[in-house]
Coordinates of all heavy atoms in Angstrom, one line a residue:
M3 N 144.7 96.8 -153.1 CA 144.3 98.2 -153.4 C 143.9 98.1 -154.8 O 144.6 97.8 -155.7 CB 145.7 99.0 -153.4 CG 145.4 100.5 -153.5 SD 146.9 101.5 -153.1 CE 147.8 101.3 -154.6
A4 N 142.7 98.6 -155.1 CA 142.1 98.6 -156.3 C 142.3 100.0 -157.1 O 142.6 100.9 -156.5 CB 140.5 98.5 -156.2
L5 N 142.3 99.7 -158.4 CA 142.6 100.9 -159.2 C 141.3 101.3 -159.9 O 140.6 100.4 -160.3 CB 143.7 100.6 -160.3 CG 145.2 100.5 -159.8 CD1 146.0 100.1 -161.0 CD2 145.6 101.8 -159.2
I6 N 141.0 102.6 -160.0 CA 139.9 103.1 -160.8 C 140.4 104.1 -161.8 O 141.5 104.5 -161.8 CB 138.9 103.8 -159.9 CG1 139.7 105.0 -159.1 CG2 138.3 102.9 -158.8 CD1 138.8 105.9 -158.4
S7 N 139.6 104.4 -162.8 CA 139.9 105.2 -163.8 C 139.6 106.7 -163.5 O 138.4 106.9 -162.9 CB 139.2 104.9 -165.2 OG 139.7 103.6 -165.6
C8 N 140.4 107.7 -163.8 CA 140.1 109.0 -163.6 C 139.0 109.4 -164.4 O 138.9 109.1 -165.6 CB 141.4 109.9 -163.8 SG 141.0 111.6 -163.9
E9 N 138.0 110.1 -163.8 CA 136.8 110.6 -164.6 C 137.2 111.7 -165.7 O 136.6 111.8 -166.7 CB 135.7 111.3 -163.7 CG 135.0 110.2 -162.8 CD 134.1 110.9 -161.8 OE1 133.8 112.0 -161.9 OE2 133.6 110.0 -160.9
E10 N 138.3 112.3 -165.5 CA 138.7 113.4 -166.4 C 139.6 112.8 -167.5 O 139.3 113.1 -168.7 CB 139.4 114.4 -165.7 CG 138.4 115.2 -164.8 CD 137.4 116.1 -165.5 OE1 137.7 116.5 -166.6 OE2 136.3 116.1 -165.0
C11 N 140.7 112.2 -167.2 CA 141.6 111.7 -168.1 C 141.8 110.3 -168.4 O 142.5 109.9 -169.3 CB 143.0 112.4 -167.9 SG 143.8 111.6 -166.3
G12 N 141.1 109.5 -167.6 CA 141.1 108.1 -167.8 C 142.3 107.3 -167.1 O 142.5 106.1 -167.2
E13 N 143.2 108.1 -166.5 CA 144.4 107.5 -165.9 C 144.0 106.6 -164.8 O 143.0 106.8 -164.0 CB 145.2 108.7 -165.4 CG 146.5 108.3 -164.6 CD 147.7 108.1 -165.5 OE1 147.5 108.1 -166.7 OE2 148.8 107.9 -165.0
K14 N 144.8 105.4 -164.7 CA 144.5 104.4 -163.6 C 145.1 105.0 -162.3 O 146.2 105.3 -162.2 CB 145.1 103.1 -163.9 CG 144.5 102.5 -165.0 CD 143.2 101.8 -164.8 CE 142.6 101.1 -165.9 NZ 141.1 101.0 -165.9
I15 N 144.1 105.2 -161.3 CA 144.7 105.7 -160.0 C 144.1 104.9 -158.9 O 143.0 104.2 -159.0 CB 144.3 107.2 -159.8 CG1 142.8 107.4 -160.1 CG2 145.2 108.1 -160.7 CD1 142.2 108.8 -160.0
S16 N 144.7 105.0 -157.7 CA 144.2 104.3 -156.6 C 142.8 104.8 -156.1 O 142.5 105.9 -156.2 CB 145.2 104.5 -155.4 OG 144.5 104.3 -154.1
E17 N 142.0 103.8 -155.7 CA 140.5 104.1 -155.4 C 140.7 105.1 -154.0 O 139.7 105.7 -153.7 CB 139.7 102.9 -155.1 CG 140.2 102.0 -154.0 CD 139.3 100.9 -153.8 OE1 138.2 100.8 -154.3 OE2 139.5 100.0 -152.9
K18 N 141.7 104.9 -153.3 CA 141.9 105.7 -152.1 C 142.4 107.1 -152.3 O 142.4 107.9 -151.6 CB 142.8 104.9 -151.2 CG 142.1 103.8 -150.5 CD 142.9 103.1 -149.5 CE 142.0 102.0 -148.9 NZ 142.8 100.8 -148.8
A19 N 142.9 107.4 -153.6 CA 143.5 108.7 -153.9 C 142.3 109.8 -153.8 O 141.2 109.4 -154.4 CB 144.2 108.7 -155.1
E20 N 142.7 110.9 -153.4 CA 141.5 112.0 -153.3 C 141.5 112.7 -154.7 O 140.6 113.4 -154.9 CB 141.8 112.9 -152.2 CG 141.5 112.1 -150.8 CD 141.4 113.0 -149.7 OE1 141.5 114.2 -149.7 OE2 141.0 112.5 -148.6
S21 N 142.6 112.8 -155.4 CA 142.7 113.4 -156.6 C 143.7 112.8 -157.7 O 144.5 111.9 -157.1 CB 143.1 114.9 -156.5 OG 144.4 115.0 -156.0
C22 N 143.4 112.9 -158.9 CA 144.3 112.2 -159.9 C 145.6 112.9 -159.9 O 145.7 114.0 -160.0 CB 143.6 112.4 -161.2 SG 144.6 111.9 -162.6
P23 N 146.6 112.1 -159.8 CA 148.1 112.6 -159.9 C 148.4 113.2 -161.2 O 149.3 114.0 -161.2 CB 148.9 111.4 -159.5 CG 148.1 110.2 -159.8 CD 146.6 110.6 -159.6
K24 N 147.7 112.8 -162.2 CA 148.0 113.2 -163.5 C 147.5 114.6 -163.8 O 148.1 115.6 -164.3 CB 147.6 112.2 -164.6 CG 148.2 112.4 -166.0 CD 147.7 111.4 -167.0 CE 148.1 111.7 -168.4 NZ 147.6 110.7 -169.4
C25 N 146.1 114.6 -163.7 CA 145.4 115.9 -164.1 C 144.9 116.7 -162.8 O 144.4 117.8 -163.1 CB 144.2 115.6 -165.1 SG 142.9 114.7 -164.3
G26 N 144.8 116.0 -161.8 CA 144.4 116.8 -160.5 C 143.0 116.8 -160.3 O 142.5 117.4 -159.3
A27 N 142.2 116.1 -161.1 CA 140.8 116.0 -160.9 C 140.4 115.3 -159.7 O 141.0 114.3 -159.4 CB 140.1 115.5 -162.1
P28 N 139.5 115.8 -158.8 CA 139.1 115.1 -157.7 C 138.4 113.7 -158.0 O 137.5 113.6 -158.8 CB 138.2 116.0 -156.9 CG 137.6 116.9 -157.9 CD 138.8 117.0 -159.0
T29 N 138.8 112.7 -157.3 CA 138.1 111.3 -157.5 C 136.8 111.3 -156.6 O 136.5 112.3 -155.9 CB 139.0 110.2 -157.0 OG1 139.3 110.4 -155.6 CG2 140.3 110.1 -157.7
K30 N 136.1 110.2 -156.8 CA 134.8 110.0 -156.0 C 135.2 110.2 -154.5 O 134.5 110.8 -153.7 CB 134.1 108.8 -156.3 CG 133.2 108.9 -157.5 CD 132.5 107.6 -157.8 CE 131.7 107.7 -159.1 NZ 131.6 106.5 -159.8
A31 N 136.2 109.4 -154.1 CA 136.7 109.5 -152.7 C 137.1 111.0 -152.3 O 136.8 111.4 -151.2 CB 137.8 108.6 -152.5
G32 N 137.7 111.7 -153.2 CA 138.2 113.0 -152.9 C 136.9 114.0 -152.8 O 136.9 114.8 -151.8
K33 N 135.9 113.8 -153.6 CA 134.8 114.6 -153.5 C 133.9 114.3 -152.2 O 133.5 115.2 -151.6 CB 133.7 114.3 -154.7 CG 134.3 115.0 -156.0 CD 133.3 114.5 -157.0 CE 133.9 115.0 -158.4 NZ 133.3 114.3 -159.5
K34 N 134.0 113.1 -151.8 CA 133.3 112.6 -150.5 C 134.0 113.2 -149.4 O 133.4 113.8 -148.4 CB 133.3 111.1 -150.4 CG 132.2 110.5 -149.8 CD 132.3 108.9 -150.0 CE 131.4 108.3 -149.0 NZ 131.6 106.8 -149.2
A35 N 135.3 113.2 -149.4 CA 136.1 113.8 -148.3 C 135.9 115.3 -148.1 O 135.9 115.9 -147.1 CB 137.7 113.5 -148.6
Q36 N 135.9 116.0 -149.4 CA 135.7 117.4 -149.3 C 134.3 117.7 -148.8 O 134.2 118.7 -148.0 CB 135.7 117.9 -150.9 CG 137.1 118.1 -151.3 CD 137.3 118.5 -152.8 OE1 136.1 118.8 -153.3 NE2 138.5 118.7 -153.3
K37 N 133.3 117.0 -149.2 CA 132.0 117.3 -148.7 C 131.9 117.1 -147.3 O 131.3 117.9 -146.6 CB 131.0 116.3 -149.4 CG 129.5 116.7 -149.3 CD 128.7 115.8 -150.0 CE 127.2 116.1 -149.8 NZ 126.3 115.1 -150.3
K38 N 132.5 116.0 -146.7 CA 132.6 115.8 -145.3 C 133.2 116.9 -144.5 O 132.8 117.4 -143.6 CB 133.3 114.4 -145.1 CG 132.9 113.7 -143.8 CD 133.6 112.2 -143.9 CE 133.5 111.7 -142.6 NZ 134.4 110.4 -142.5
A39 N 134.3 117.3 -145.1 CA 135.1 118.5 -144.5 C 134.2 119.7 -144.3 O 134.2 120.4 -143.4 CB 136.4 118.6 -145.2
R40 N 133.5 120.0 -145.5 CA 132.6 121.2 -145.6 C 131.5 121.1 -144.5 O 131.2 122.0 -143.8 CB 131.9 121.2 -146.9 CG 132.8 122.2 -147.8 CD 131.9 122.7 -149.0 NE 131.2 121.6 -149.8 CZ 131.6 121.1 -150.9 NH1 132.8 121.6 -151.3 NH2 131.0 120.3 -151.5
V41 N 130.9 119.8 -144.5 CA 129.8 119.7 -143.4 C 130.3 119.9 -142.0 O 129.7 120.5 -141.2 CB 129.2 118.3 -143.5 CG1 128.2 118.1 -142.5 CG2 128.4 118.3 -144.9
A42 N 131.5 119.3 -141.8 CA 132.1 119.4 -140.4 C 132.4 120.9 -140.1 O 132.1 121.4 -138.9 CB 133.4 118.6 -140.4
K43 N 132.9 121.6 -141.1 CA 133.3 123.0 -140.9 C 132.0 123.9 -140.5 O 132.0 124.7 -139.7 CB 134.0 123.5 -142.2 CG 134.7 124.8 -141.9 CD 135.5 125.1 -143.3 CE 136.0 126.5 -143.2 NZ 136.5 127.0 -144.6
R44 N 130.9 123.6 -141.3 CA 129.8 124.2 -141.2 C 129.1 124.0 -139.7 O 128.6 124.7 -139.1 CB 128.7 123.9 -142.2 CG 127.4 124.4 -142.1 CD 126.6 124.3 -143.3 NE 127.0 125.2 -144.4 CZ 126.3 125.5 -145.4 NH1 125.2 124.8 -145.6 NH2 126.7 126.3 -146.4
G45 N 129.2 122.7 -139.4 CA 128.7 122.2 -138.1 C 129.5 122.9 -136.9 O 128.8 123.3 -135.9
N46 N 130.8 123.2 -137.1 CA 131.6 123.8 -136.0 C 131.1 125.3 -135.8 O 130.8 125.8 -134.7 CB 133.0 124.0 -136.4 CG 133.7 122.5 -136.2 OD1 133.1 121.7 -135.5 ND2 134.9 122.4 -136.8
T47 N 130.7 126.0 -137.0 CA 130.3 127.4 -136.9 C 129.0 127.4 -136.2 O 128.8 128.3 -135.4 CB 130.2 128.0 -138.3 OG1 131.4 127.6 -139.0 CG2 130.1 129.5 -138.3
Q48 N 128.1 126.5 -136.6 CA 126.7 126.6 -136.0 C 126.9 126.2 -134.6 O 126.2 126.7 -133.8 CB 125.8 125.6 -136.8 CG 125.4 126.2 -138.1 CD 124.6 125.1 -138.9 OE1 125.1 124.0 -139.0 NE2 123.5 125.5 -139.6
G49 N 127.8 125.3 -134.3 CA 128.0 124.9 -132.8 C 128.4 126.0 -132.0 O 127.9 126.2 -130.9
V50 N 129.3 126.9 -132.5 CA 129.8 128.1 -131.7 C 128.6 129.0 -131.5 O 128.5 129.5 -130.4 CB 131.0 128.6 -132.5 CG1 131.2 130.1 -131.9 CG2 132.2 127.8 -132.5
G51 N 127.8 129.2 -132.6 CA 126.8 130.2 -132.5 C 125.7 129.7 -131.5 O 125.2 130.4 -130.7
C52 N 125.3 128.4 -131.5 CA 124.4 127.8 -130.6 C 124.9 127.9 -129.1 O 124.1 128.3 -128.3 CB 124.2 126.3 -130.9 SG 123.1 126.1 -132.4
L53 N 126.2 127.6 -129.0 CA 126.7 127.6 -127.7 C 126.7 129.1 -127.1 O 126.4 129.4 -125.9 CB 128.2 127.3 -127.7 CG 129.0 126.8 -126.5 CD1 128.3 125.5 -126.0 CD2 130.4 126.8 -126.6
L54 N 126.9 130.1 -128.0 CA 126.8 131.5 -127.4 C 125.4 131.9 -127.1 O 125.2 132.6 -126.1 CB 127.3 132.5 -128.6 CG 129.0 132.5 -128.7 CD1 129.4 133.4 -129.9 CD2 129.6 133.1 -127.4
I55 N 124.5 131.5 -127.9 CA 123.2 131.8 -127.6 C 122.6 131.0 -126.4 O 122.0 131.8 -125.4 CB 122.1 131.4 -128.8 CG1 122.4 132.2 -130.0 CG2 120.8 131.4 -128.4 CD1 121.7 131.7 -131.2
L56 N 123.2 129.9 -126.2 CA 122.8 129.2 -124.9 C 123.4 129.9 -123.7 O 122.7 130.1 -122.6 CB 123.4 127.7 -124.9 CG 122.3 126.6 -125.3 CD1 122.9 125.4 -125.5 CD2 121.4 126.5 -124.2
L57 N 124.6 130.3 -123.9 CA 125.4 131.0 -122.8 C 124.6 132.3 -122.4 O 124.5 132.6 -121.3 CB 126.8 131.3 -123.3 CG 127.8 131.4 -122.2 CD1 128.0 130.2 -121.3 CD2 129.2 131.9 -122.8
S58 N 124.1 132.9 -123.4 CA 123.5 134.2 -123.2 C 122.2 134.1 -122.5 O 121.8 134.8 -121.7 CB 123.2 134.9 -124.5 OG 122.2 134.2 -125.3
V59 N 121.5 132.9 -122.7 CA 120.2 132.6 -122.2 C 120.4 132.3 -120.7 O 119.9 132.9 -119.7 CB 119.5 131.4 -122.8 CG1 118.4 130.9 -121.9 CG2 119.1 131.7 -124.1
V60 N 121.6 131.6 -120.3 CA 121.9 131.3 -118.9 C 122.3 132.6 -118.2 O 121.9 132.8 -117.1 CB 123.1 130.2 -118.9 CG1 123.6 130.0 -117.5 CG2 122.6 128.9 -119.5
L61 N 123.2 133.4 -118.9 CA 123.6 134.6 -118.3 C 122.4 135.7 -118.1 O 122.2 136.3 -117.1 CB 124.5 135.3 -119.2 CG 126.0 135.0 -118.9 CD1 127.0 135.7 -119.8 CD2 126.4 135.5 -117.4
G62 N 121.5 135.6 -119.0 CA 120.2 136.4 -119.0 C 119.4 136.1 -117.8 O 118.7 137.0 -117.3
L63 N 119.6 134.9 -117.2 CA 118.7 134.6 -115.9 C 119.3 135.2 -114.8 O 118.5 135.5 -113.8 CB 118.9 133.1 -115.8 CG 118.1 132.2 -117.0 CD1 118.4 130.7 -116.6 CD2 116.6 132.5 -117.0
T64 N 120.5 135.8 -114.9 CA 121.0 136.5 -113.8 C 121.0 138.0 -114.0 O 121.2 138.4 -115.2 CB 122.5 136.2 -113.4 OG1 123.3 136.6 -114.5 CG2 122.7 134.7 -113.3
V65 N 120.6 138.8 -113.1 CA 120.4 140.2 -113.4 C 121.7 140.9 -113.8 O 121.7 141.7 -114.8 CB 119.9 141.0 -112.1 CG1 119.6 142.5 -112.3 CG2 118.6 140.4 -111.6
V66 N 122.8 140.6 -113.2 CA 124.1 141.2 -113.4 C 124.5 140.9 -114.9 O 125.2 141.7 -115.6 CB 125.2 140.7 -112.6 CG1 126.5 141.4 -112.7 CG2 124.7 140.9 -111.1
G67 N 124.2 139.7 -115.3 CA 124.7 139.2 -116.7 C 123.8 139.7 -117.8 O 124.2 139.4 -119.0
A68 N 122.7 140.4 -117.6 CA 121.8 140.7 -118.6 C 122.4 141.5 -119.9 O 122.2 141.0 -121.0 CB 120.5 141.4 -118.1
P69 N 123.2 142.6 -119.5 CA 123.7 143.3 -120.7 C 124.8 142.5 -121.5 O 124.8 142.6 -122.7 CB 124.5 144.5 -120.1 CG 123.9 144.6 -118.7 CD 123.5 143.2 -118.3
V70 N 125.5 141.7 -120.8 CA 126.5 140.8 -121.5 C 125.7 139.8 -122.3 O 126.1 139.4 -123.5 CB 127.5 140.1 -120.5 CG1 128.5 139.3 -121.2 CG2 128.1 141.1 -119.6
A71 N 124.7 139.3 -121.7 CA 123.9 138.2 -122.3 C 123.3 138.7 -123.6 O 123.2 138.1 -124.7 CB 122.7 137.8 -121.4
A72 N 122.8 140.0 -123.6 CA 122.3 140.5 -125.0 C 123.3 140.6 -126.0 O 123.1 140.1 -127.1 CB 121.7 141.9 -124.6
L73 N 124.5 141.0 -125.6 CA 125.6 141.1 -126.6 C 125.9 139.7 -127.0 O 126.1 139.5 -128.3 CB 126.8 141.7 -125.9 CG 128.0 142.2 -126.8 CD1 127.6 143.2 -127.6 CD2 129.2 142.4 -126.0
L74 N 126.1 138.7 -126.1 CA 126.5 137.4 -126.5 C 125.4 136.8 -127.4 O 125.7 136.0 -128.4 CB 126.5 136.5 -125.3 CG 127.8 136.4 -124.5 CD1 127.7 135.4 -123.4 CD2 128.9 135.9 -125.5
F75 N 124.1 137.1 -127.2 CA 123.1 136.6 -128.0 C 123.1 137.1 -129.5 O 123.0 136.3 -130.4 CB 121.6 136.9 -127.5 CG 120.5 136.4 -128.2 CD1 120.1 135.1 -127.9 CD2 119.9 137.1 -129.1 CE1 119.1 134.5 -128.6 CE2 118.8 136.5 -129.9 CZ 118.4 135.2 -129.5
I76 N 123.4 138.3 -129.6 CA 123.5 138.9 -131.0 C 124.7 138.3 -131.7 O 124.6 138.0 -132.8 CB 123.6 140.4 -130.8 CG1 122.4 141.1 -130.2 CG2 124.1 141.0 -132.1 CD1 122.4 142.5 -129.8
V77 N 125.9 138.2 -130.9 CA 127.2 137.7 -131.6 C 126.8 136.2 -132.0 O 127.1 135.8 -133.1 CB 128.2 137.8 -130.6 CG1 129.5 137.0 -131.3 CG2 128.6 139.2 -130.4
G78 N 126.3 135.5 -131.1 CA 125.9 134.1 -131.3 C 124.9 134.0 -132.5 O 125.1 133.1 -133.4
F79 N 124.0 134.8 -132.6 CA 123.0 134.7 -133.7 C 123.7 135.0 -135.0 O 123.3 134.3 -135.9 CB 121.8 135.8 -133.3 CG 120.5 135.6 -134.2 CD1 119.8 134.6 -134.0 CD2 120.3 136.4 -135.2 CE1 118.7 134.3 -134.8 CE2 119.3 136.4 -136.0 CZ 118.3 135.2 -135.8
V80 N 124.5 136.1 -135.0 CA 125.2 136.4 -136.2 C 126.0 135.3 -136.8 O 126.1 134.9 -138.0 CB 126.0 137.7 -136.0 CG1 127.0 138.0 -137.2 CG2 125.1 138.9 -135.9
I81 N 126.8 134.7 -135.8 CA 127.7 133.5 -136.2 C 126.9 132.4 -136.7 O 127.2 131.8 -137.7 CB 128.5 133.0 -135.0 CG1 129.5 134.1 -134.7 CG2 129.2 131.7 -135.3 CD1 130.3 133.8 -133.4
L82 N 125.7 132.1 -136.0 CA 124.8 131.0 -136.5 C 124.3 131.3 -138.0 O 124.4 130.4 -138.7 CB 123.6 130.8 -135.5 CG 122.8 129.6 -135.7 CD1 123.5 128.4 -135.4 CD2 121.6 129.7 -134.7
I83 N 123.8 132.5 -138.2 CA 123.4 132.8 -139.5 C 124.4 132.8 -140.5 O 124.2 132.2 -141.6 CB 122.6 134.3 -139.5 CG1 121.4 134.1 -138.5 CG2 122.2 134.7 -140.8 CD1 120.4 133.3 -138.9
A84 N 125.5 133.3 -140.2 CA 126.7 133.4 -141.1 C 127.2 131.9 -141.4 O 127.4 131.7 -142.6 CB 128.0 134.0 -140.4
G85 N 127.1 131.0 -140.4 CA 127.4 129.6 -140.8 C 126.4 129.0 -141.7 O 126.7 128.0 -142.4
L86 N 125.2 129.4 -141.7 CA 124.2 128.9 -142.6 C 124.3 129.5 -144.0 O 124.1 128.8 -145.0 CB 122.8 129.3 -142.0 CG 122.3 128.5 -140.8 CD1 121.0 129.0 -140.3 CD2 122.1 126.9 -141.1
L87 N 124.6 130.7 -144.0 CA 124.6 131.5 -145.3 C 125.9 131.4 -146.1 O 125.8 131.2 -147.3 CB 124.2 132.9 -145.2 CG 122.9 133.2 -144.6 CD1 122.7 134.7 -144.4 CD2 121.8 132.7 -145.5
I88 N 127.0 131.4 -145.4 CA 128.3 131.4 -146.2 C 128.7 130.0 -146.6 O 128.7 129.1 -145.8 CB 129.4 131.9 -145.2 CG1 129.2 133.4 -144.9 CG2 130.9 131.7 -146.0 CD1 130.1 133.9 -143.9
P89 N 128.7 129.8 -147.9 CA 129.1 128.4 -148.4 C 130.5 128.1 -148.1 O 131.5 128.9 -148.3 CB 128.9 128.5 -149.9 CG 128.9 130.0 -150.2 CD 128.6 130.7 -149.0
A90 N 130.8 127.0 -147.3 CA 132.2 126.7 -147.0 C 133.1 126.2 -148.0 O 132.6 125.7 -149.0 CB 132.2 125.6 -145.8
Ligands
LIG105 ZN1 143.0 112.5 -164.4

């Protein structure tokens, strides 16, 4: 296990630590993990939006499902846009 210096206070910490135990500053590994989590979260939101839009298209092909399809499309679209605009 290698030790690195904290960027904020210089404390020796494990390279695997996500934040400095002394000052709480995120390490490079911690920043990377946070970024990965944000991207995954955003991907999930967009996935749900895409799924709803796809579902609405399939439902729209049936005459009975058309009103529900329109609603699903709008909801899916809003979720997709929200996933793009809201910073996670
Ligand atoms: Zn520190």
Side-chain angles (χ1 to χ4, degrees):
M3 190 172 76
L5 288 176
I6 55 168
S7 295
C8 170
E9 287 177 10
E10 290 296 321
C11 68
E13 179 85 352
K14 293 282 179 205
I15 49 177
S16 162
E17 64 175 355
K18 286 185 178 133
E20 291 193 357
S21 63
C22 172
K24 193 179 170 189
C25 71
T29 62
K30 274 179 186 153
K33 284 176 189 165
K34 214 169 160 184
Q36 277 177 4
K37 198 178 171 187
K38 207 172 164 186
R40 265 203 303 270
V41 169
K43 202 175 164 190
R44 177 170 285 196
N46 283 344
T47 312
Q48 286 173 314
V50 170
C52 283
L53 200 72
L54 282 177
I55 290 174
L56 258 175
L57 200 65
S58 73
V59 170
V60 174
L61 266 176
L63 294 175
T64 67
V65 180
V66 189
V70 184
L73 191 73
L74 269 181
F75 184 82
I76 294 165
V77 172
F79 193 72
V80 168
I81 290 175
L82 188 67
I83 296 301
L86 286 172
L87 296 181
I88 297 169

